[in-house]
Amino acid sequence: HAKGTLMGFAHTATALSLSSLSGTDLLFVGLVGGFGLVCLFLWAAWLAGMWRVFVKLGRPGWTCLVPIWSNWQLGRAVGPRPLAIAYAAAAAAACLTFSAERLDNVFLLVSFGLFLLTHLAVYYLLSRAFGRGVGYALGLAVLPFLFVPFLALSDDEATPYEATLASASAVALEDGAEATEVASDADEAPDTEDDAADDSYDQDADGEPASAV
């Protein structure tokens, strides 16, 4: 009975508060509520897209839910270790200084500047990992709630940084083997020509007639 009374009181208070609003106020409340729902939908789409992107990069999808750790994992998946360290450290510093009262704080500016630079670098490498170019990298950095879901839903397969290094090492070894083989063939070629000249000389020494001029 008490619960029903409280619910009835809350409903009455809400109705009275809405009835006291003018048409302009109701429109404003509707717009703000609609904008909030759109932002919530875009955030959920971005989060689901990042989960899928992490899986494509060979990382656990849940790591995108953990602040700072997700920056480290993404940086390691698409770039070298120093870049991942700088990206995670810049994200941590930006989070710590986000509540600063003055925007002219030097540490705040430096941390956000470093985070912006590393953020652009990591998203450029992320775009390259999926075979995309600079334009898509800018889209990922500026409008991630649109470009990340598109990337996650695409049929493109990701090539992590470790796989790129392994492929480059294999190509280098193959080129080195080919160069060694070519050099070995070049060393054996003069010996073959010398052997042919020796055979010709031996035939002439055995008394075979020379051709007439």
Side-chain angles (χ1 to χ4, degrees), residues 24-171:
T24 305
D25 294 335
L26 289 175
L27 178 61
F28 177 76
V29 171
L31 290 177
V32 171
F35 180 75
L37 290 177
V38 171
C39 291
L40 182 61
F41 172 78
L42 293 177
W43 177 79
W46 169 81
L47 195 61
M50 287 301 296
W51 187 296
R52 179 61 179 164
V53 167
F54 270 68
V55 171
K56 285 188 174 184
L57 290 170
R59 306 283 170 168
W62 60 266
T63 54
C64 71
L65 304 176
V66 184
I68 313 303
W69 179 248
S70 61
N71 299 95
W72 161 258
Q73 288 291 329
L74 183 59
R76 283 298 292 132
V78 300
R81 184 181 297 270
L83 177 60
I85 294 175
Y87 188 40
C95 290
L96 290 175
T97 57
F98 183 75
S99 59
E101 296 181 357
R102 297 189 307 166
L103 292 179
D104 58 348
N105 187 287
V106 176
F107 184 74
L108 177 66
L109 295 177
V110 171
S111 61
F112 271 94
L114 180 60
F115 176 75
L116 180 60
L117 292 177
T118 54
H119 183 72
L120 292 175
V122 167
Y123 273 78
Y124 170 72
L125 294 176
L126 175 62
S127 177
R128 291 287 302 272
F130 281 87
R132 304 299 180 95
V134 179
Y136 204 91
L138 291 176
L140 288 172
V142 178
L143 298 173
F145 49 83
L146 292 179
F147 283 81
V148 168
F150 291 155
L151 189 64
L153 295 175
S154 67
D155 296 330
D156 299 334
E157 295 295 332
T159 304
Y161 181 71
E162 292 85 356
T164 303
L165 287 181
S167 177
S169 300
V171 171

Side-chain angles (χ1 to χ4, degrees), residues 170-186:
V171 171
L173 290 175
E174 184 178 354
D175 293 341
E178 291 179 357
T180 302
E181 183 178 355
V182 170
S184 178
D185 294 340

Side-chain angles (χ1 to χ4, degrees), residues 195-209:
D195 293 341
D198 292 340
D199 293 340
S200 177
Y201 177 77
D202 292 340
Q203 291 178 0
D204 292 340
D206 292 339
E208 293 185 1

